[in-house]
Amino acid sequence: MAPHAAAPSTRVLIVDDSAAARAMFKVIVESDPALQVMAAVPDAYAAARAMRTELPDVILLDLELPGMDGLTFLRKIMQQHPIPVVVCSSHVGAGTEAMVSALELGAREVISKPAARNDLERQEASIRICDAIRAATETTRRRSQPEPRPLAPGPKLTADEILPARPPRPVPETTPVVCIGASTGGTEALRDVLTALPASAPPIVIVQHMPRGFTAAFARRLDSLCAIEVLEAEDEMQVMPGRAIIAQGDRHLLLRRRNQGYRVSVLDGAYVCRHRPSVDVLFRSAAQEAGANALGVIMTGMGDDGARCMAEMRAAGAETIAQNEESCVVYGMPREAVAHGGVGKVEPLDRLAARIMEFGRRQMERTAR
């Protein structure tokens, strides 16, 4: 008798008051052979009943629920059974503050509910949701093997789609700049790093994978906690000491040299490494525009976005750092950056702020000579 196929290893509980959304999520989750739907329920009370007999590995949770709202349910989960939770919501605007609250309460990831108006959007939504669910499981299991991934909707595009590659060339000494890329687990990791920086920190430009509409609230929240200024990117915004600029959700962010300093460009365009904004796009622009004046930092996240173009930064003379495996929620992007030869140093999360300040001091001393 032929052996049975291995059962899916990750059980997902879907909690959404929309029958259409539950049906869509069920199809998406079950399209991944590593995932299975444990149950799909319309409210928090039904979810609690389902969890009395079996605990899921991951909960896919909407915030707008009848009776008990999603944030209250999330708070109770984290107090009673800290199960990985992926929040998936269609709410933006004022609702983005609730998304930041969800991350602070312990949600592993926040993603936008897909519109899925055509086949391409449905395929992209499937990738984002399945990636988020597997990454939430990774948080608990702490695996170091490469993550399984579904097929991409067409070819996986590189930074060439947004910014053509060019051979490294010398860049004059000028203002230092720090470019940071992060994904799953990055919202909390970035908070740890940015809150540890003094107001004298060097200029910082950040790509954190987040959906459209969520990054403004994320930046406001960080700005309220940090000594440095934290802003959501706007086109032609000045890059300056004591300021961190975070890419808008769903738009690419590039560094542009302006005389002795930098500004940022905010661009639409194709998904790069399945992401928009893409860390690879930011890192390639840093390699070309800043060269040895830049520090590249790649942090926790699933996949390989940033790995190839961090190698370009290093080839252009930039210093480069990867967050170490032990402190990552998901050791995907840093591992791939190491594999591509782009990493000069590997550091734990609690040392990154100090390394950023040391880089800024070295660069200023170099330009003063």
Side-chain angles (χ1 to χ4, degrees):
M1 182 180 296
H4 293 290
S9 58
T10 300
R11 297 159 299 165
V12 181
L13 173 61
I14 298 168
V15 188
D16 197 298
D17 65 336
S18 165
R22 293 196 302 275
M24 175 185 66
F25 290 141
K26 189 172 187 296
V27 170
I28 288 173
V29 170
E30 292 183 342
S31 71
D32 188 317
L35 307 176
Q36 67 175 356
V37 175
M38 185 189 96
V41 299
D43 56 51
Y45 302 105
R49 288 194 296 271
M51 291 167 62
R52 287 179 192 144
T53 56
E54 181 182 17
L55 289 178
D57 296 306
V58 180
I59 298 174
L60 186 64
L61 177 67
D62 189 14
L63 293 186
E64 291 294 316
L65 298 174
M68 183 189 300
D69 66 88
L71 281 179
T72 301
F73 181 53
L74 176 61
R75 186 179 295 108
K76 290 180 179 294
I77 290 168
M78 292 304 155
Q79 290 171 348
Q80 299 171 13
H81 300 290
I83 296 164
V85 174
V86 173
V87 169
C88 187
S89 175
S90 58
H91 286 266
V92 295
T96 58
E97 299 293 346
M99 298 312 216
V100 175
S101 296
L103 291 167
E104 291 176 343
L105 286 172
R108 296 289 191 259
E109 189 73 271
V110 171
I111 56 178
S112 57
K113 189 175 290 185
R117 293 174 290 251
N118 54 52
D119 287 345
L120 179 60
E121 287 188 357
R122 280 189 288 273
Q123 289 173 309
E124 289 178 343
S126 178
I127 289 169
R128 289 195 300 273
I129 291 168
C130 292
D131 274 2
I133 291 170
R134 285 196 309 275
T137 309
E138 183 95 1
T139 306
T140 304
R141 295 178 182 174
R142 308 290 299 183
R143 295 179 304 218
S144 60
Q145 296 87 359
E147 305 90 358
R149 303 183 67 89
L151 294 175
K156 184 177 178 181
L157 302 179
T158 70
D160 294 347
E161 292 292 316
I162 307 299
L163 185 64
R166 71 184 189 206
R169 61 188 185 191
V171 175
E173 292 182 2
T174 186
T175 306
V177 62
V178 179
C179 296
I180 301 176
S183 188
T184 308
T187 52
E188 295 304 295
L190 283 169
R191 184 188 65 182
D192 290 349
V193 172
L194 298 185
T195 55
L197 293 171
S200 59
I204 300 171
V205 184
I206 300 166
V207 165
Q208 162 69 46
H209 295 155
M210 292 186 82
R212 181 192 297 271
F214 298 162
T215 44
F218 179 55
R220 286 195 300 271
R221 176 60 175 160
L222 288 176
D223 187 60
S224 73
L225 298 172
C226 296
I228 63 172
E229 180 181 37
V230 184
L231 300 171
E232 184 187 45
E234 294 181 7
D235 197 44
E236 290 298 311
M237 181 176 281
Q238 186 176 3
V239 178
M240 56 193 295
R243 171 181 287 180
I245 298 173
I246 298 178
Q248 292 183 25
D250 205 34
R251 302 193 75 189
H252 291 300
L253 184 67
L254 288 76
L255 189 70
R256 299 295 194 192
R257 187 181 175 87
R258 295 289 189 271
N259 299 318
Q260 294 301 304
Y262 308 96
R263 293 184 182 270
V264 296
S265 291
V266 178
L267 300 177
D268 294 318
Y271 281 74
V272 172
C273 285
R274 302 192 183 100
H275 293 286
R276 188 176 60 222
S278 163
V279 181
D280 261 336
V281 171
L282 173 62
F283 281 3
R284 173 166 289 175
S285 71
Q288 295 180 358
E289 300 289 316
N293 301 296
L295 168 65
V297 181
I298 195 159
M299 296 173 63
T300 175
M302 175 174 276
D304 62 358
D305 188 24
R308 292 166 182 80
C309 293
M310 176 168 265
E312 293 181 13
M313 287 187 70
R314 193 177 187 192
E319 296 184 33
T320 55
I321 299 174
Q323 185 180 346
N324 72 347
E325 181 174 3
E326 292 74 20
S327 64
C328 280
V329 170
V330 179
Y331 187 61
M333 287 161 49
R335 179 185 57 234
E336 291 299 320
V338 170
H340 280 79
V343 175
K345 294 180 180 177
V346 176
E347 297 283 357
L349 178 64
D350 61 7
R351 289 292 298 158
L352 293 182
R355 293 292 182 250
I356 287 170
M357 293 306 298
E358 289 168 7
F359 163 77
R361 286 192 291 271
R362 284 196 302 274
Q363 291 295 108
M364 296 306 294
E365 289 169 0
R366 186 182 70 158
T367 55
R369 288 198 297 267

